[in-house]
Each structure stands twice: as structure tokens, then as C-alpha cells.
Amino acid sequence: MSDISSVFADGKAIIPYVAAGDPDTESTVRFVLALEKAGADMVQIGIPFSDPIADEPAQKDAALRGLASGANLDCAFRIVEKVRETSAVPISFVSYLNPIFGYGYGEFFSRCAKCNIATVFVIDMPYEEKVELLSYAQANDVGLVSAIYPASERRLELLADNADGFIYLVPMKANADEVESMISAIRDRTDVPITVAFGAGKPEDVKGIVGSADGIVIGSGVVEIIGEHGKDSEAEIAEYIQAIRKQI
């Protein structure tokens, strides 16, 4: 996980999300490079899935656009391979478990290593099932990101103690008090970097939730722009990331 230290080395990290193949493979490559140039510290690439039950509406729409263009896990790897021709920007895959299971855990993480994927976040994988993937991830030096939601103190401590890569903090109310309370509890248990989920919203809304976190994950903001502007989204997404940088 050599990329992780660089992601959080210089101030608060900005980690935007795009869906593979949205609206097509070539555009996704351009968008990843545009996000890096605009100041993103890491880019999350979502693997389109036909039943994205935990996604926000804009992410579901992005997944459907990706599926319509023929995107799948192989497509996501090809996108990263194309990006790697000119860029070493840290990349995290975001996926449901089923595509990875169908691909084969060993083959998936081996190819992640070849493409220098820093981390993988499996949306629907409970902590109790993490061990099933952990050996494959560790053997290939790929971090398995943990999502932490508001929970009992005992549950939060368990998740924090076993966090890997970075922590994806998902507050229910997305306000400063809740975020700071969760961050404080997590800091007592681990030094793993903490990011806060930020869905759709104006750049100025970031100030209210990022607090003392190490970074912010932008789940819907960029894909909403892509949904509106399609293949011609580079200028708009760059402007959006730059505006968020000014807020944190």
C-alpha cells in the first residue's frame, strides 16, 4: 500500500468517485486524469453492478450508464492500465462482492497489484466476512478499506482496531458534532487515516462535515456532473474539485 502514505501526506485528501465506463471507457480515462490534474489525491473507480442497493441515486445512475456502455470488471482494469500509461495517481476500486467473487479472489487481487491499485472497498461486505478476502489482499499489498457507520462503542472499537488502508466514515446526520465524536473515538484506537463521506452538494458544504478528518470522499458530486454533461465533463469536474480544495 505504498500509495496510501502519499495520499494523506500533504493536507486533507480529496478522493472523488467515478464509475467505470460512464459514459464510456475513453471518457472515464480522461476524467480520472482530469481529476488528478485538478488536485484529487486519489480517485475511486466504481465497478458497475446491476443491483447497487447501497449506492446513492447519482451513483446508481452512473452504474447504469456504465453497464449500458458495456463496462465490467475487465473494463475497469483496462481503464486503470490506460491511466497508468501517463499517471501514477493512487486509485481505489469500489465494488460489490459479487463481481469480485465471479472474477476469482486470487485473480482479482493479483491484477490489482499489477495495476498498482492502492485499496479496494467492497460495499456490501460485512466486517465478519472480511477475513475471506484479507489474505488475498495482503498477499498482493492491497488495502481493504473499512466503512464505519454510527454504531455502539464496542462495535466502533472493533472496526477501528482492524481497519486497513484508510477508514471511510459514513455519518448519518453529516454534521460537525457527529463527525467529530466518531473521529475522536476512532483516533483512540488507530492511526489509520480517516475520510468522511460527502455525497452530493455544493463545495461550500464541505466545511460543515470534514472537521478533523484526514480527507473527504466525494461519492456523488462528480458523477452528477457527468450525468449532466456526459463526455464533455472534464472542465466542470475540474472546477468542482478545485472549489472543494479551497474549502478544506
Side-chain angles (χ1 to χ4, degrees), residues 130-191:
K130 181 177 179 178
V131 66
E132 189 173 0
L133 295 184
L134 193 58
S135 61
Y136 295 98
Q138 291 178 337
N140 289 281
D141 201 26
V142 177
L144 272 183
V145 173
S146 296
I148 297 184
Y149 301 83
S152 68
E153 182 177 351
R154 182 177 179 181
R155 178 73 174 177
L156 189 148
E157 291 176 352
L158 175 68
L159 295 172
D161 287 344
N162 293 278
D164 187 27
F166 65 91
I167 291 170
Y168 183 35
L169 184 62
V170 187
M172 296 302 292
K173 298 177 183 178
N175 63 47
D177 289 341
E178 182 187 29
V179 169
E180 288 305 313
S181 176
M182 292 179 70
I183 289 175
S184 177
I186 294 168
R187 297 277 193 218
D188 288 341
R189 311 293 301 193
T190 182
D191 294 327

Side-chain angles (χ1 to χ4, degrees), residues 4-248:
I4 295 299
S5 60
S6 67
V7 172
F8 300 97
D10 187 20
K12 296 185 185 297
I14 296 176
I15 307 175
Y17 170 94
V18 296
D22 175 25
D24 56 45
T25 299
E26 291 182 0
S27 295
T28 308
V29 173
R30 289 189 290 105
F31 296 159
V32 171
L33 296 175
L35 288 166
E36 178 192 23
K37 187 175 181 180
D41 299 282
M42 170 184 271
V43 178
Q44 288 190 325
I45 298 180
I47 311 302
F49 182 55
S50 58
D51 190 22
I53 57 174
D55 284 13
E56 297 174 357
Q59 292 174 306
K60 290 181 180 179
D61 291 342
L64 291 175
R65 293 192 298 267
L67 289 170
S69 75
N72 55 23
L73 196 42
D74 271 324
C75 171
F77 278 119
R78 290 195 296 271
I79 288 169
V80 178
E81 288 166 354
K82 190 66 177 177
V83 168
R84 289 287 174 253
E85 292 179 6
T86 57
S87 170
V89 60
I91 290 175
S92 177
F93 271 161
V94 179
S95 179
Y96 288 83
L97 187 58
N98 192 61
I100 301 174
F101 175 79
Y103 202 83
Y105 296 156
E107 177 63 22
F108 172 76
F109 281 102
S110 175
R111 196 165 179 186
C112 282
K114 291 176 183 176
C115 293
N116 196 20
I117 298 295
T119 64
V120 172
F121 173 38
V122 184
I123 299 171
D124 58 342
M125 182 181 66
Y127 165 78
E128 287 75 12
E129 297 179 18
K130 181 177 179 178
V131 66
E132 189 173 0
L133 295 184
L134 193 58
S135 61
Y136 295 98
Q138 291 178 337
N140 289 281
D141 201 26
V142 177
L144 272 183
V145 173
S146 296
I148 297 184
Y149 301 83
S152 68
E153 182 177 351
R154 182 177 179 181
R155 178 73 174 177
L156 189 148
E157 291 176 352
L158 175 68
L159 295 172
D161 287 344
N162 293 278
D164 187 27
F166 65 91
I167 291 170
Y168 183 35
L169 184 62
V170 187
M172 296 302 292
K173 298 177 183 178
N175 63 47
D177 289 341
E178 182 187 29
V179 169
E180 288 305 313
S181 176
M182 292 179 70
I183 289 175
S184 177
I186 294 168
R187 297 277 193 218
D188 288 341
R189 311 293 301 193
T190 182
D191 294 327
V192 173
I194 302 169
T195 65
V196 178
F198 178 71
K202 298 178 181 178
E204 54 265 32
D205 296 335
V206 170
K207 275 188 175 180
I209 67 166
V210 67
S212 63
D214 300 298
I216 188 164
V217 174
I218 304 168
S220 295
V222 172
V223 292
E224 279 195 342
I225 293 171
I226 296 170
E228 180 179 355
H229 297 278
K231 297 179 182 180
D232 301 317
S233 298
E234 288 167 89
E236 285 75 13
I237 61 178
E239 182 179 351
Y240 182 69
I241 295 300
Q242 290 164 356
I244 286 179
R245 174 62 72 191
K246 292 178 181 178
Q247 299 298 323
I248 64 171

